Amino acid sequence: PAFATDALVYHLAVPKAYLEAGAIINLPNNIFSFYPQHIEMLYLLALALGTDHLAQLTGLGIVFLLLIALYQYYRQSGSATYAILVPALFLSTPTFFAVTYSAYADLQAAAYTFMAFYSWENWRSRKQAGWFYMMTLFVGAALATKLSAIIALPIAFIGVFMRDKMSPKEFLRHFLILMLGALLLILPWWGRNYFFTGNPFAPF
């Protein structure tokens, strides 16, 4: 069963309240409910289909996507022989075991952030626009999962600036797409906050 403090106070408590009410409701006594709820909506779906266990397995599944992405990235850019060592080293850290099955959002935000970087690498090397849109999506998902992941947005802007052979007009277009696309996943939560409190950036 779920036992981690943040899961019981926030990550599972808020989706459970929404599920019981049958709607997204105002929870003024829980300031964490005003944070973006991307990963919590996945937990809500898991709770609707099963129990706390399924919600925790959902978070674990996203973390294993990170391990697969680490393996694929190193296999693509390094040695295929030793590619398995990269996720294995990450898997072996105490922090991984402390939070990976706890229905938290930290490793999930890390997964989205790394996959944004991986998409940028492929966009830069393969010159395929689809990877840019994937990067935009993953940056938005990271931001909507954990507010501290906002650092991924300016880093992504730097990544766009570093792209070779881009005219000022192309750069501006990519800049706007990245900004609007990344914010698309967090705007509904800011809208909810404004509806309930009059402040889109509540509880800040």
Side-chain angles (χ1 to χ4, degrees):
F3 65 89
T5 303
D6 284 7
L8 298 178
V9 171
Y10 164 31
H11 298 299
L12 293 180
V14 172
K16 278 183 179 179
Y18 291 167
L19 192 61
E20 289 171 0
I24 293 177
I25 57 173
N26 189 16
L27 300 170
N29 295 323
N30 188 340
I31 64 167
F32 302 108
S33 68
F34 297 110
Y35 289 175
Q37 303 277 312
H38 171 73
I39 194 68
E40 284 75 19
M41 292 301 96
L42 298 180
Y43 291 156
L44 185 148
L45 179 61
L47 290 169
L49 295 174
T51 63
D52 292 355
H53 299 292
L54 187 57
Q56 292 175 107
L57 285 173
T58 300
L60 184 62
I62 296 173
V63 173
F64 273 95
L65 286 178
L66 171 59
L67 297 178
I68 292 168
L70 286 168
Y71 168 80
Q72 183 61 31
Y73 173 74
Y74 194 76
R75 186 169 180 231
Q76 178 178 306
S77 61
S79 168
T81 306
Y82 297 104
I84 194 68
L85 285 178
V86 178
L89 286 171
F90 186 69
L91 186 68
S92 69
T93 59
T95 302
F96 181 91
F97 284 101
V99 300
T100 190
Y101 54 84
S102 303
Y104 274 22
D106 306 83
L107 287 172
Q108 290 74 21
Y112 291 136
T113 303
F114 177 76
M115 286 190 275
F117 167 75
Y118 183 50
S119 299
W120 173 80
E121 279 267 300
N122 284 320
W123 175 54
R124 185 178 60 87
S125 60
R126 300 183 185 184
K127 316 296 185 189
Q128 296 171 337
W131 287 108
F132 170 75
Y133 296 114
M134 289 292 290
M135 178 187 75
T136 299
L137 179 65
F138 284 130
V139 168
L143 180 56
T145 297
K146 197 167 181 67
L147 285 175
S148 57
I150 195 171
I151 189 65
L153 190 55
I155 291 174
F157 289 144
I158 294 171
V160 172
F161 181 76
M162 290 172 60
R163 175 76 149 62
D164 298 331
K165 298 178 181 178
M166 187 180 292
S167 68
K169 186 177 180 180
E170 284 181 300
F171 172 76
L172 181 60
R173 182 168 61 86
H174 282 82
F175 180 90
L176 291 175
I177 291 172
L178 177 59
M179 173 67 81
L180 295 175
L183 292 179
L184 191 63
L185 292 177
I186 199 173
L187 286 175
W189 303 112
W190 286 345
R192 171 209 56 182
N193 290 353
Y194 182 78
F195 179 77
F196 287 140
T197 70
N199 173 16
F201 308 115
F204 303 108

